[in-house]
Amino acid sequence: MVNPYDKYAIEASVQLKEKFGGKAVGIAMAPPHAADALREVLAMGVDEMVLLSDPKLAGSDTLATSYALSVAIKKVEQRLGSVDLVLCGIESSDSNTGHIGPEVGEWLGVPSVSYVDRILEIKDGYAVVKRLIEGGYAVMKVKLPAVFSIAGTSYQPRIPSLRDVLAARRKQIDVWNADGVGLDPSLVGLVGSPTRVVKMWRIEIRRKGKIFTDSDVDVAIEKLLNELKKDGVPLGV
Amino acid sequence: MSNKILVYIETLEGLPAEHSLELLGKAGDLAKKAGLDVGAILVGYEVKSIAQELIYRGASEVHVVDDPRLGSYNLLPYTSAVVDVIKKTEPEIVLFSATVIGRELAPRVAARLKTGITADCTDVDIGDWVDPGTGRKYEKILYQIRPTFGGEIMAAIVTPQRRPQMATVRPGLFPIPPRDESRTGKVVEWSVNIPESEQSLVEVIEVKREKRKVDLKSARVIVSGGRGCGAKGFELLRELASVLNGEIGASRAAVDAGWIPYDHQIGLTGQTVKPDVYIAVGISGAVQHVVGMKDSKIVIAINKDPEAPIFRIADYGIVGDLFVVVPKLTERLKKKS
Ligand SMILES: Cc1cc2nc3c(=O)[nH]c(=O)nc-3n(C[C@H](O)[C@H](O)[C@H](O)COP(=O)(O)OP(=O)(O)OC[C@H]3O[C@@H](n4cnc5c(N)ncnc54)[C@H](O)[C@@H]3O)c2cc1C
Ligand SMILES: Nc1ncnc2c1ncn2[C@@H]1O[C@H](COP(=O)(O)O)[C@@H](O)[C@H]1O
């Protein structure tokens, strides 16, 4: 499955490509079976996909993952010429850290901006972006190349048509391994990861989950107030 | 030898942000457990006067970078300043708030230092850990506790070898430490190395921020409205809230639509609240909203869509049209009291 937050970034990349030309290349670091899901990215209009896949990458934390992705980006650069913009989602749906974008920026030595709502302009080697901050927004002018993490729902992901889906079948998915991209093996996987997960546990959902669907709203309200009384939090007193 | 925990302090209009004070208090607890000192990193321009306040709130040392080049927040120069302070002071642990700023500054700093970082911790603690691979024991290290895989699983994460151990911590979880003017501490000013290039790569053109006036933190009852409400719906919510002696909250969708000012927004980019009763009306339950209210004692959802995710984290729910349910509920409660 493609991370839902990444679809905004994919949509942004395709819109930028449609406006300014150039090429949109997708990069995913994942196990080989992810290839199927990547067809959806191609159907949305991305020109080609790179799947970085290697057992050596297993167990990578954000520092190691961002390193691996940055090396893959450099490899794309060698093949296709300079990369102007790297777009990420605001967070992944499994780890939700939002850290990969800034960390990739650091490995590449270029600016990064998180919580980008909209790319307003691209001109003369700069991008003007609107980003969210607590309580409002900031507009900034950023020298390219740069890494943006797209938070905006302003890039509503397109639903590919049947034609797009068929066209995507003819597009290329390159599968790269660690040696192929020239990764330093000591910087990826468990050895390259400073953090260790030492314990995991399931949290019981403490919520009662009593949902009243009575078509007579008055009945539902009585039930609700009764339950609250039992809980010792009678409303309104 | 490094012997301290440092907290990165965010400032707002010349004052330390509440969530930074909160974290300073929590870091103080950890410091006691680990036998370390607790300090603060304060970066900006004309911020020096805040240092004393941080000492009153529990910092025994405040590391200040007061520099005109750091006048408004800008990621790269701020990263350089924080990294420089960390290199000079060699802390064991550095904590940031998991705010919009913390969530980009902290990973950038961690990557430059090639150390580990855990995002959005809901708790941090000190403990020992034995590496099952090598048998080596690490004493009094930082346990970074966070939800993962969409929130149903908790994970404890450590950074055994590299330093500093870093984490961002969700705001709104810990009490703000009391102000004690008898506390003393030292203020250290640093001049830092910020490469010329970093100042010109990003230029801040405009910042628009609404001041927060409403404090929902101490509210016992919050009636919160979302996109389903419309301006009309919020009128109904106000009536309900007034019967309940409650405050009004909102999702970002409602704030963006202009039905209610930003200072009522709850969630990732709004406030974190934990009232006794949280009533979510016409709110779907997006994660970014849920992180701001999930620690409420009782959650009640009113939504016409029985599949809305908000019902999955609610104690009670009524499936129905809010324009019918809310007025009836208000009437019923009026009768009772
Ligand atoms: C980086 C980032 C930060 C964000 N920060 C925040 C944040 O701090 N806070 C926040 O809230 N969001 C935040 N969001 C936005 C978040 O992702 C959601 O878009 C938002 O919470 C949705 O608001 P909503 O539930 O009101 O609207 P919707 O998701 O549109 O839900 C509306 C709900 O109303 C119901 N409804 C409609 N009409 C009726 C009716 N007549 N009666 C009953 N029910 C009805 C619908 O069934 C639906 O479930 C953030 C997003 C990003 C990317
Ligand atoms: N394995 C990966 N492959 C490609 N992109 C990734 C990967 N992990 C994270 N990202 C990108 O980084 C963003 C933030 O992820 P995270 O820091 O894991 O929350 C995601 O939305 C993706 O765009």
Side-chain angles (χ1 to χ4, degrees):
Chain A
M1 187 189 90
V2 178
N3 168 29
Y5 295 108
D6 285 355
K7 290 195 180 167
Y8 298 103
I10 294 165
E11 178 63 33
S13 74
V14 175
Q15 284 187 22
L16 290 175
K17 185 191 77 167
E18 286 166 354
K19 189 153 173 206
F20 298 102
K23 207 164 192 171
V25 180
I27 300 181
M29 172 173 142
H33 63 75
D36 282 344
L38 299 181
R39 290 280 162 210
E40 189 185 348
V41 182
L42 295 171
M44 284 178 71
V46 167
D47 298 299
E48 53 184 274
M49 272 307 304
V50 168
L51 174 56
L52 180 60
S53 206
D54 197 303
K56 287 196 189 97
L57 298 168
S60 295
D61 68 4
T62 56
L63 185 68
T65 301
S66 59
Y67 164 72
L69 289 171
S70 72
V71 175
I73 291 165
K74 285 187 193 146
K75 184 84 184 173
V76 168
E77 231 166 12
Q78 280 172 19
R79 262 197 24 194
L80 298 173
S82 67
V83 169
D84 300 308
L85 204 51
V86 177
L87 300 181
C88 294
I90 191 59
E91 51 191 52
S92 57
S93 52
D94 49 358
S95 55
N96 307 94
T97 80
H99 284 178
I100 295 294
E103 294 202 292
V104 167
E106 189 59 34
W107 283 106
L108 293 174
V110 304
S112 60
V113 184
S114 294
Y115 299 97
V116 170
D117 179 59
R118 188 92 200 157
I119 298 160
L120 301 173
E121 194 181 355
I122 292 187
K123 218 166 88 185
D124 307 328
Y126 284 88
V128 178
V129 300
K130 181 179 163 194
R131 68 161 301 172
L132 304 176
I133 54 174
E134 257 105 7
Y137 64 85
V139 176
M140 26 217 253
K141 187 175 168 191
V142 186
K143 180 103 171 68
L144 300 178
V147 180
F148 297 152
S149 302
I150 305 291
T153 43
S154 77
Y155 291 105
Q156 205 54 46
R158 65 190 67 192
I159 315 273
S161 67
L162 185 61
R163 233 182 84 214
D164 297 331
V165 173
L166 292 174
R169 294 211 183 135
R170 292 190 301 274
K171 291 184 184 172
Q172 193 176 333
I173 299 181
D174 275 337
V175 182
W176 293 353
N177 62 20
D179 292 340
V181 287
L183 282 172
D184 178 343
S186 73
L187 295 179
V188 295
L190 268 184
V191 282
S193 297
T195 60
R196 290 284 175 276
V197 177
V198 300
K199 208 166 86 179
M200 291 232 228
W201 63 99
R202 185 171 285 280
I203 36 173
E204 314 130 53
I205 301 179
R206 288 158 299 143
R207 300 287 171 200
K208 299 195 180 75
K210 289 191 183 159
I211 312 301
F212 309 118
T213 52
D214 309 75
S215 54
D216 184 346
V217 172
D218 293 316
V219 173
I221 288 176
E222 285 319 311
K223 286 184 181 167
L224 171 68
L225 295 180
N226 257 330
E227 291 288 344
L228 289 169
K229 210 194 257 152
K230 276 194 260 166
D231 289 342
V233 277
L235 274 187
V237 285
Chain B
M1 250 309 273
S2 53
N3 57 359
K4 51 183 143 289
I5 302 183
L6 295 182
V7 174
Y8 177 81
I9 303 294
E10 284 179 42
T11 62
L12 220 91
E13 288 159 11
L15 291 171
E18 279 185 7
H19 52 77
S20 296
L21 293 178
E22 224 183 79
L23 195 51
L24 191 60
K26 181 66 188 177
D29 298 343
L30 296 183
K32 264 189 223 120
K33 253 186 159 167
L36 301 171
D37 288 331
V38 63
I41 303 179
L42 181 60
V43 171
Y45 182 44
E46 294 178 331
V47 289
K48 215 176 358 183
S49 56
I50 298 173
Q52 190 59 46
E53 178 67 19
L54 298 173
I55 289 170
Y56 294 158
R57 299 288 185 167
S60 61
E61 49 191 79
V62 182
H63 300 276
V64 185
V65 182
D66 204 320
D67 189 319
R69 295 173 296 176
L70 300 168
S72 61
Y73 168 75
N74 194 342
L75 177 59
L76 290 177
Y78 269 60
T79 301
S80 288
V82 174
V83 165
D84 222 5
V85 170
I86 290 174
K87 282 190 176 155
K88 284 166 171 155
T89 55
E90 299 189 338
E92 264 301 296
I93 296 170
V94 184
L95 302 176
F96 292 73
S97 299
T99 56
V100 166
I101 285 176
R103 284 174 120 227
E104 72 171 0
L105 180 58
R108 194 91 205 194
V109 167
R112 194 166 297 179
L113 295 167
K114 303 285 179 281
T115 189
I117 176 152
T118 300
D120 292 336
C121 293
T122 51
D123 200 5
V124 275
D125 201 359
I126 299 292
D128 299 340
W129 181 62
V130 180
D131 183 340
T134 60
R136 184 163 162 200
K137 184 170 181 188
Y138 298 88
E139 283 177 17
K140 294 185 177 167
I141 59 173
L142 182 72
Y143 271 65
Q144 307 148 32
I145 297 157
R146 75 182 300 258
T148 185
F149 294 115
E152 277 147 54
I153 310 249
M154 297 296 286
I157 295 159
V158 297
T159 308
Q161 288 186 333
R162 296 197 211 176
R163 293 295 176 267
Q165 306 162 77
M166 288 180 61
T168 68
V169 182
R170 281 215 48 87
L173 298 171
F174 311 110
I176 293 174
R179 193 166 191 272
D180 179 352
E181 292 196 9
S182 69
R183 282 204 180 105
T184 56
K186 63 174 183 190
V187 178
V188 190
E189 278 195 68
W190 299 99
S191 58
V192 292
N193 175 33
I194 300 171
E196 190 82 35
S197 61
E198 289 197 338
Q199 294 164 62
S200 55
L201 284 172
V202 178
E203 185 193 331
V204 181
I205 297 175
E206 187 193 357
V207 176
K208 258 225 161 80
R209 215 191 270 274
E210 259 187 61
K211 216 162 109 190
R212 187 182 283 172
K213 286 161 291 196
V214 181
D215 181 15
L216 299 174
K217 278 206 177 68
S218 49
R220 288 186 47 226
V221 176
I222 295 176
V223 181
S224 216
R227 201 193 310 267
C229 290
K232 274 253 165 54
F234 272 92
E235 281 167 31
L236 301 177
L237 297 190
R238 276 195 195 92
E239 284 171 39
L240 177 58
S242 96
V243 185
L244 295 173
N245 274 322
E247 297 283 349
I248 298 283
S251 75
R252 183 156 135 211
V255 172
D256 285 350
W259 302 326
I260 179 112
Y262 163 74
D263 46 2
H264 293 268
Q265 183 178 315
I266 289 165
L268 180 63
T269 41
Q271 303 192 50
T272 305
V273 297
K274 32 183 173 181
D276 292 342
V277 180
Y278 187 89
I279 309 182
V281 185
I283 291 179
S284 63
V287 263
Q288 293 90 356
H289 185 77
V290 170
V291 292
M293 47 65 72
K294 68 177 173 37
D295 295 315
S296 307
K297 251 189 221 133
I298 290 188
V299 174
I300 301 171
I302 298 172
N303 198 303
K304 67 177 179 192
D305 174 10
E307 303 296 324
I310 190 78
F311 285 128
R312 293 206 289 269
I313 59 132
D315 293 292
Y316 305 112
I318 294 182
V319 180
D321 185 346
L322 69 95
F323 292 94
V324 178
V325 178
V326 174
K328 277 188 188 264
L329 181 59
T330 308
E331 279 316 305
R332 175 64 180 79
L333 290 168
K334 269 189 196 156
K335 253 188 254 160
K336 194 162 125 184
S337 52

